[in-house]
Amino acid sequence: GIQVEQSPPDLILQEGANSTLRCNFSDSVNNLQWFHQNPWGQLINLFYIPSGTKQNGRLSATTVATERYSLLYISSSQTTDSGVYFCAVVYQGGSEKLVFGKGTKLTVNP
Amino acid sequence: NAGVTQTPKFRVLKTGQSMTLLCAQDMNHEYMYWYRQDPGMGLRLIHYSVGEGTTAKGEVPDGYNVSRLKKQNFLLGLESAAPSQTSVYFCASSYGTLPNEQFFGPGTRLTVL
């Protein structure tokens, strides 16, 4: 099956700093989503981005499908950005099943 | 719209007991999914359904059964709970056609003693 690797596994920032999270995948994908799991466990949809670039406020994401990676940018981080960020993909031939990476744990200190 | 809801939010079972988790969605989505999340890991697919009356196995189906009798509901059953099934269970749904973005419920925290 497809492998989804996220880096870094842990990231600690001061409020106001910028960061880049990376997701590498080992096969062609039909779907790629980024999620934020907040400290209460809720999974929040950030982006549906199988290719191209999208922006939503301080967050943006870019997926280069031909090179099999996606990047999530967080600018001017806030303490409410803390939590775990997951990348998940549906690979071609994998029906509609999302395969998750292990996540990047982000801590933003005041 | 409530989106995707799950019942119950928390449950404690003894080994060997049975229970059913209920997932409901009000977005008229065709596809529904059950995932489990264990500490330090991403989510793994248990079972899924591509339409009313259909179900299929995911990555970790053993010990679970599912039913999709109504389009808006997807039930996950544990016939004889085991401590290895202690986990957080998430339900999700999607349209089934592109863009097939999945939307998740709030989760059910299950402990099996």
Side-chain angles (χ1 to χ4, degrees):
Chain A
I2 194 169
Q3 303 299 313
V4 181
E5 295 183 354
Q6 293 187 239
S7 60
D10 293 278
L11 185 59
I12 300 175
L13 300 174
Q14 287 299 120
E15 203 167 20
N18 303 327
S19 61
T20 300
L21 283 59
R22 187 176 181 100
C23 173
N24 292 332
F25 42 95
S26 61
D27 206 343
S28 299
V29 299
N30 293 330
N31 175 3
L32 188 147
Q33 292 184 237
W34 282 98
F35 298 91
H36 174 214
Q37 188 166 40
N38 64 23
W40 296 271
Q42 185 181 8
L43 273 170
I44 300 164
N45 288 39
L46 296 178
F47 294 101
Y48 172 88
I49 186 165
S51 64
T53 298
K54 290 186 178 180
Q55 182 159 5
N56 185 3
R58 297 182 295 104
L59 274 61
S60 64
T62 295
T63 298
V64 183
T66 53
E67 297 188 20
R68 300 181 181 171
Y69 72 89
S70 183
L71 302 174
L72 178 68
Y73 305 95
I74 304 174
S75 64
S76 304
S77 58
Q78 300 176 356
T79 56
T80 53
D81 294 332
S82 295
V84 181
Y85 290 80
F86 288 105
C87 167
V89 304
V90 173
Y91 63 97
Q92 294 180 7
S95 187
E96 294 301 323
K97 297 169 282 188
L98 274 174
V99 177
F100 281 75
K102 292 187 176 181
T104 292
K105 183 178 181 180
L106 175 65
T107 303
V108 181
N109 293 320
Chain B
N1 285 353
V4 181
T5 58
Q6 293 182 231
T7 308
K9 290 184 170 54
F10 304 94
R11 186 71 185 269
V12 178
L13 291 178
K14 294 181 180 179
T15 297
Q17 287 185 318
S18 63
M19 78 162 295
T20 300
L21 282 66
L22 171 64
C23 175
Q25 52 93 6
D26 62 1
M27 297 177 281
N28 200 34
H29 284 169
E30 285 294 332
Y31 287 24
M32 297 186 74
Y33 315 80
W34 276 106
Y35 293 86
R36 61 178 285 173
Q37 184 179 28
D38 299 305
M41 297 183 67
L43 282 67
R44 292 181 294 167
L45 184 67
I46 304 171
H47 286 280
Y48 66 104
S49 168
V50 299
E52 181 178 323
T54 72
T55 62
K57 293 181 179 180
E59 182 184 356
V60 288
D62 294 341
Y64 305 94
N65 57 75
V66 288
S67 64
R68 183 105 180 266
L69 299 179
K70 293 183 178 181
K71 183 177 183 177
Q72 64 268 33
N73 295 336
F74 195 28
L75 278 64
L76 178 71
L78 287 73
E79 289 188 349
S80 180
S84 61
Q85 294 177 304
T86 294
S87 190
V88 180
Y89 292 85
F90 287 94
C91 176
S93 69
S94 66
Y95 279 112
T97 56
L98 292 177
N100 197 22
E101 184 176 1
Q102 292 188 24
F103 295 88
F104 283 78
T108 295
R109 186 173 296 274
L110 176 65
T111 301
V112 183
L113 302 176

